[in-house]
Amino acid sequence: MALRRSATARLTIGILAAGALAGVAGPASASAGPAPGTLPTISAAQVVAFSDSTIAATTRVLTPNRTQAPQHLVSLGDSYSSGEGNPRPPFLKGTATKTDACHRSPIAYPELLVNDHSLGLDRSAYAFVACSGATRRDVWNGNVANHEPSQLNALSASTSLVTLSVGGNDVDFPGVLAHCITGGLTNLPLNKKVASSQDCRNLKVPVSNLAGAKETLDQHESRLIADLGATTLCDSPDGYITCVPSLSDLYKSIAQGSGPSARLRVLLYPHLFTTTPDARGCRLLDVTLYIPVGIYRVRKVHVTADISQRNMKWINDGVDKTDLKIMQQVAVARLAGVDIQVVDPRIAFDNGGSSSPGGHGACTRQPWIRGIYLNGFDPNPYSFHPNEIGQQQFYVAMRNAVR
């Protein structure tokens, strides 16, 4: 386990601005891009080979002591578990306010699980604390901005099943998207303009905590993905404490805070875009906005947003690298005796058949991942999150893993 001293832990939560609440998706744009960048493509066969052979061959799988007693479910993690991007029906009470934007949805997969009576889950003992924007640090220590305590507080000796998705915000998926989407989106009145490129992997971005230093976005992502396996220590009056745990340490802490036969199921991330992107790229947004100017006048603004073929491939490759790192950390936790298993939604999300070639990511005929959304002129976190069908697919995959 790599230890790194830090006086104050670094927390990065990015939210990408995206399309009107009634989001409009247009035809593919004419932007083109050659082969993807330096992030290597990890094939589905390689991913399956890792999960089915490497983990199985090098770990001891614990068989939980299941009884007929109701199972107690605790659902932890980030927006992919909270159900972000699905405001109808309304988010659960108290999770869509000025002081708490965790955006827990009644149609998120944890809710679907606990309402599936065939699984024998006790709703009265159910805890749903996943929160939009959550990082490893938030799960560990809580989120001050949302006035939410440590998600680990929801665990108890009676907890028998835990679901979790975390890591996407640690590797700054939202920030990557902002750099990789081109067009007028970054020029909206209330948006902070960020540099973007049709070849975003080679875009120069600041290096965190090193004033004036820069690295390519590809280098930035590779470093953040590697950091998922590192624990950050901070100074305190009582000595060093863990500010940000490695994923494997987080998994082990979840197991320690749960019942002796608790099972932990870790959701991986689906590809955000079509797996067969068009050479012309994809138009994500094409809308006309009317911006108030003074009291009686408005200014008409036509806004478009596009993403190149090259950037779609690079982002999907980055998802694969992130998922592979999560799988490696799961293997470490299993070696330590944790009953833990990954749940991989990519097989379902990538299989669109003839009705939706390229799967069900953004820029497909039948997307399960939302495109760009705006809330008026302001950034909206609904963008690039699973829609209702996407959450249902998470539920199907997770149900198969917890039976």
Side-chain angles (χ1 to χ4, degrees):
M1 175 176 66
L3 301 182
R4 183 177 54 193
R5 177 177 174 178
S6 172
T8 55
R10 173 170 50 85
L11 173 63
T12 302
I13 300 178
I15 293 180
L16 174 69
L21 280 176
V24 179
S29 74
S31 61
T38 57
L39 281 178
T41 300
I42 300 172
S43 68
Q46 289 174 295
V47 171
V48 171
F50 182 90
S51 61
D52 289 348
S53 62
T54 308
I55 292 180
T58 60
T59 64
R60 179 170 58 94
V61 181
L62 301 183
T63 302
N65 180 23
R66 298 188 182 91
T67 68
Q68 296 302 314
Q71 299 288 299
H72 293 180
L73 169 65
V74 175
S75 293
L76 314 174
D78 57 21
S79 54
Y80 273 54
S81 289
S82 76
E84 178 65 276
N86 292 284
R88 296 181 182 85
F91 293 118
L92 298 181
K93 185 177 180 180
T95 69
T97 68
K98 291 182 179 179
T99 58
D100 191 325
C102 283
H103 289 181
R104 297 184 188 111
S105 170
I107 60 174
Y109 79 82
E111 288 284 304
L112 301 180
L113 284 174
V114 78
N115 288 322
D116 183 341
H117 300 300
S118 70
L119 297 178
L121 299 174
D122 183 358
R123 188 169 182 92
S124 67
Y126 163 60
F128 183 18
V129 294
C131 184
S132 183
T135 60
R136 289 172 291 152
R137 180 177 182 175
D138 297 326
V139 175
W140 184 263
N141 286 326
N143 184 288
V144 175
N146 283 320
H147 300 85
E148 294 258 341
S150 167
Q151 294 186 21
L152 302 186
N153 290 354
L155 303 170
S156 71
S158 66
T159 301
S160 54
L161 175 62
V162 181
T163 64
L164 170 71
S165 64
V166 73
N169 291 305
D170 291 275
V171 302
D172 197 19
F173 277 174
V176 167
L177 287 163
H179 286 300
C180 295
I181 293 173
T182 59
L185 182 63
T186 54
N187 296 317
L188 287 175
L190 300 182
N191 281 3
K192 180 181 178 181
K193 187 171 182 178
V194 298
S196 60
S197 168
Q198 292 185 16
D199 182 22
C200 60
R201 75 192 188 284
N202 289 318
L203 197 66
K204 293 286 187 177
V205 296
V207 178
S208 302
N209 301 326
L210 288 177
K214 289 193 174 184
E215 61 187 350
T216 66
L217 192 58
D218 185 74
Q219 293 169 331
H220 177 71
E221 281 304 290
S222 295
R223 182 168 52 80
L224 293 181
I225 291 170
D227 280 351
L228 292 176
T231 290
T232 300
L233 299 180
C234 297
D235 291 328
S236 78
D238 299 322
Y240 290 119
I241 61 171
T242 297
C243 288
V244 185
S246 66
L247 284 177
S248 60
D249 281 353
L250 178 61
Y251 302 150
K252 287 182 278 188
S253 293
I254 291 171
Q256 291 165 3
S258 303
S261 299
R263 297 172 289 159
L264 174 55
R265 299 297 178 258
V266 177
L267 182 69
L268 300 180
Y269 294 96
H271 294 126
L272 298 184
F273 294 97
T274 171
T275 58
T276 57
D278 192 285
R280 297 170 296 174
C282 175
R283 174 144 292 181
L284 295 164
L285 183 70
D286 192 336
V287 297
T288 298
L289 301 177
Y290 295 87
I291 302 174
V293 179
I295 300 177
Y296 302 108
R297 298 174 57 198
V298 295
R299 179 163 62 93
K300 182 178 178 181
V301 178
H302 182 221
V303 180
T304 61
D306 304 293
I307 186 165
S308 68
Q309 179 193 51
R310 180 184 304 181
N311 288 355
M312 284 187 278
K313 288 183 176 181
W314 182 75
I315 289 172
N316 281 349
D317 287 348
V319 170
D320 285 335
K321 289 196 72 175
T322 300
D323 282 346
L324 182 58
K325 187 65 177 182
I326 292 172
M327 292 165 70
Q328 292 168 342
Q329 289 291 290
V330 163
V332 172
R334 290 180 73 174
L335 282 171
V338 178
D339 183 352
I340 186 171
Q341 178 181 324
V342 295
V343 178
D344 193 342
R346 286 174 294 179
I347 296 173
F349 273 72
D350 291 350
N351 183 16
S354 60
S355 61
S356 188
H360 298 284
C363 300
T364 60
R365 292 179 189 170
Q366 298 173 356
W368 298 346
I369 300 288
R370 296 188 183 279
I372 291 185
Y373 276 69
L374 295 173
N375 183 7
F377 305 129
D378 290 334
N380 191 305
Y382 301 167
S383 310
F384 299 104
H385 281 91
N387 57 24
E388 183 173 1
I389 300 176
Q391 284 292 331
Q392 290 170 355
Q393 291 300 317
F394 285 172
Y395 153 70
V396 170
M398 191 65 74
R399 181 189 61 190
N400 292 336
V402 302
R403 278 181 165 173

